[in-house]
Amino acid sequence: MERAAVVAAALVAVLVSVLAPAATAQMDSCSGELPPSLVGNYSGLACQPVWNNFVLRYHQDKNNVLRVVLSTMYSTGWVGMGFSRDGLMVGSSAMVGWMGRKGLPHIRQFALRGKSGSKKDVAVDRGFLVSNDHDHTVVVSQAKIFVAFQLRFPYRLSHQHIILAFGSGIPVNNKLSKHQDKTSFTFDFTTGKTFADGAFPYALRRAHGGLNLFAWGILMPIGAILARYFRRMDPLWFYLHVGIQFVGFIIGLAGVVAGVALYNKIQADIPAHRGLGIFVLFLGILQVLAFFLRPNTDSKYRKYWNWYHHWAGRLTLFFAAVNIVLGIHVGGNHSSWQIGYGFNLAILLVAVIALEFMLWTRWSKDSAPTPTY
């Protein structure tokens, strides 16, 4: 029994000695300082361990310029970070850094067009990443390599497919040797969270954006246009207005539910978007309640109800439009969303301007009051 106790204690001691340093290394992987040569241009970066000994430091400014310092243990060879549109290596662009045989730093962009490893499939100085070569550098310090670069994106980067890889061979004439190991994942540049490829809820994010855009950005503006400009179609305009706004509210509510589910999954820290969404939903609920609390047309309170209903509706549509634009921006959606919603806004604005002009023209000729509902 005593011998068994001694053996068990020894095993526990070995496990503690092995596992504790690993845990400490994981916790301290972001605590080390950057080499002095990187402090000027790459200070103030967020830090996140992402894979094995790889640590990603990053910051994205208001001009959508992404500063990155990728670091890992290093003796020789190359280290690369790829940006992919679909999570696949083929079709991605990568920033690759290494120290040459003469001790000179190298960092180049490669377009990954195939898997053969030839210069045609791994083309140097090609790719879709927009960068400034003077802002790139590679530093080796304390057995670690730091690959630092800056990229400019056309939109704010949020959930991005990332590929990390390294090889033991030093590139000759900018030809990369086959990688020893690689990984791919989705990185959230707004929260610092890492998702295994296929784990990020893209469908839920599309549902949240699509439902809210259709409800608050299309249906409800159409319902408001009917109420203001088509009252001569009495009482058809009233039933269409109520029906469209009610359907829009239900769809918008579904979009909010999708947003709550999305937040619970990714814990995205976007207080402005979330706060505006809550405010718009609150105004929408007040508009629904106002319908059931509508006083009679001959009531002395009717004019106050009209004033409240009209201006609360305008505020709802305005802040909904602002939040849709903000959601497209922080969601990192591609230009198709921006173009689509921009085209929708343009049509609505042109229609409102034309109908408003026609309304004022009709009012100037006909001073008869329109029925109030």
Side-chain angles (χ1 to χ4, degrees), residues 3-21:
R3 180 177 297 179
V6 170
V7 172
L11 288 174
V12 170
V14 170
L15 286 173
V16 169
S17 64
V18 171
L19 295 179

Side-chain angles (χ1 to χ4, degrees), residues 213-224:
L213 192 153
F214 182 62
W216 304 98
I218 298 178
L219 282 183
M220 290 194 178
I222 291 175

